[in-house]
Amino acid sequence: MNEKTKWGHWFWGLFFLACAGILVASKMGRFSYHIGFWMLVLTLILVAATIKSIVYFSVSGTVFSLAFLSLLYAKPLGITSLVPWTILGATLLLSIGLSLVLQPFKRKLSRHHAHITFEKTGNYTGQHFSDTTSTDYESYVEVNVRMGSTIRYVQSDNFQQAVINVTMGDVKVYFDHATVVEDQVKIELNGSMGDVSLYIPKEWDVQMNLNSLMADLGEKGLTPTKTGPKVFITGNFKLGDIEVYYV
């Protein structure tokens, strides 16, 4: 068990023990503001969602979790005149604004982790705080991420197409062990407020035909030779960061 997993077990163990204590204390009338059972359950879920969003650097997840908490406790907070639409509207604008402002810092942190790992192993393996990691052997690959992160390794013997859908998430897809039989393949990217990192063999001839709105597009890694099959990157992406790493 690595250090991150061990500390994660300690943290969540203590968190749920504290939740049990709060539940008992609330039923004993130790709080001046009465909290019902289901309200307490929703509170614990939203607090957990907030903590997870902070750990995974999800701006939107953090802001919206806190917004829903404020809706639950509008009366003791004295903001009943602002709920629900004013709070939700302000939260949406705040989420977009913070995502744009913090995007360079998040991108810098992501590249820092990737650079350290590359120095140690000679391979890009991305961040170490991903929700899921899996391997695909099919010709058609589909990746769907919403408010989370994932790492996907494509090792198909006849790779033809990948569809990547991201909403407020982080995705890393490795194509360096995929074999292309045809003359061309397609990678479709769709989503908003997300980070997508594609690790592609330097021999592939990447053609960027992506419709993007306020999204940063970049190429890193080795110098591409473009002697292999054509790879068309298409789709629609808004408010995000897309990086192609040649390996």
Side-chain angles (χ1 to χ4, degrees):
M1 181 182 297
N2 58 40
E3 288 296 319
K4 180 177 180 297
T5 302
K6 181 173 68 176
W7 284 110
H9 286 173
W10 272 98
F11 174 81
W12 288 112
L14 294 173
F15 174 78
F16 283 109
L17 288 174
C19 291
I22 293 173
L23 177 60
V24 173
S26 65
K27 292 304 179 181
M28 294 176 64
R30 297 299 178 88
F31 297 135
S32 58
Y33 180 75
H34 177 70
I35 303 176
F37 175 77
W38 290 112
M39 188 174 182
L40 179 60
V41 171
L42 288 175
T43 300
L44 297 180
I45 292 174
L46 289 172
V47 169
T50 302
I51 295 173
K52 181 178 179 181
S53 297
I54 293 174
V55 171
Y56 288 97
F57 302 97
S58 174
V59 173
S60 299
T62 302
V63 172
F64 274 98
S65 296
L66 292 175
F68 285 120
L69 277 172
S70 70
L71 293 178
L72 281 179
Y73 294 92
K75 187 175 181 179
L77 291 174
I79 57 172
T80 53
S81 61
L82 300 179
V83 298
W85 302 115
T86 302
I87 293 294
L88 293 178
T91 301
L92 177 61
L93 295 175
L94 184 63
S95 174
I96 295 173
L98 287 176
S99 296
L100 292 174
V101 171
L102 298 177
Q103 189 68 240
F105 300 98
K106 183 178 179 182
R107 186 162 61 246
K108 183 178 179 180
L109 179 63
S110 174
R111 290 171 182 168
H112 176 68
H113 280 279
H115 179 69
I116 291 177
T117 307
F118 181 75
E119 285 187 341
K120 289 181 177 179
T121 66
N123 295 298
Y124 289 102
T125 57
Q127 301 179 28
H128 300 288
F129 41 83
S130 127
D131 283 339
T132 61
T133 301
S134 59
T135 303
D136 277 295
Y137 300 95
E138 304 297 328
S139 298
Y140 296 88
V141 177
E142 184 173 359
V143 181
N144 297 298
V145 176
R146 180 181 295 272
M147 295 183 66
S149 60
T150 188
I151 297 176
R152 189 70 62 90
Y153 297 94
V154 179
Q155 299 184 6
S156 171
D157 292 331
N158 183 20
F159 172 64
Q160 298 180 26
Q161 182 177 359
V163 178
I164 303 171
N165 301 308
V166 186
T167 301
M168 294 185 292
D170 181 82
V171 177
K172 289 177 171 58
V173 184
Y174 292 80
F175 296 97
D176 50 325
H177 287 94
T179 301
V180 176
V181 177
E182 304 293 335
D183 294 332
Q184 62 183 40
V185 296
K186 179 181 178 182
I187 299 176
E188 181 179 341
L189 305 179
N190 298 300
S192 60
M193 290 189 288
D195 291 342
V196 178
S197 299
L198 306 176
Y199 298 85
I200 290 177
K202 60 182 176 60
E203 294 81 12
W204 289 9
D205 184 4
V206 174
Q207 304 291 320
M208 189 72 73
N209 297 322
L210 183 70
N211 294 322
S212 60
L213 175 64
M214 300 182 70
D216 293 331
L217 309 176
E219 295 179 314
K220 302 292 182 181
L222 303 177
T223 302
T225 61
K226 298 185 180 295
T227 57
K230 289 186 178 296
V231 180
F232 294 95
I233 298 180
T234 64
N236 296 277
F237 212 89
K238 296 177 291 185
L239 298 171
D241 179 36
I242 299 172
E243 292 282 359
V244 174
Y245 291 91
Y246 293 104
V247 295

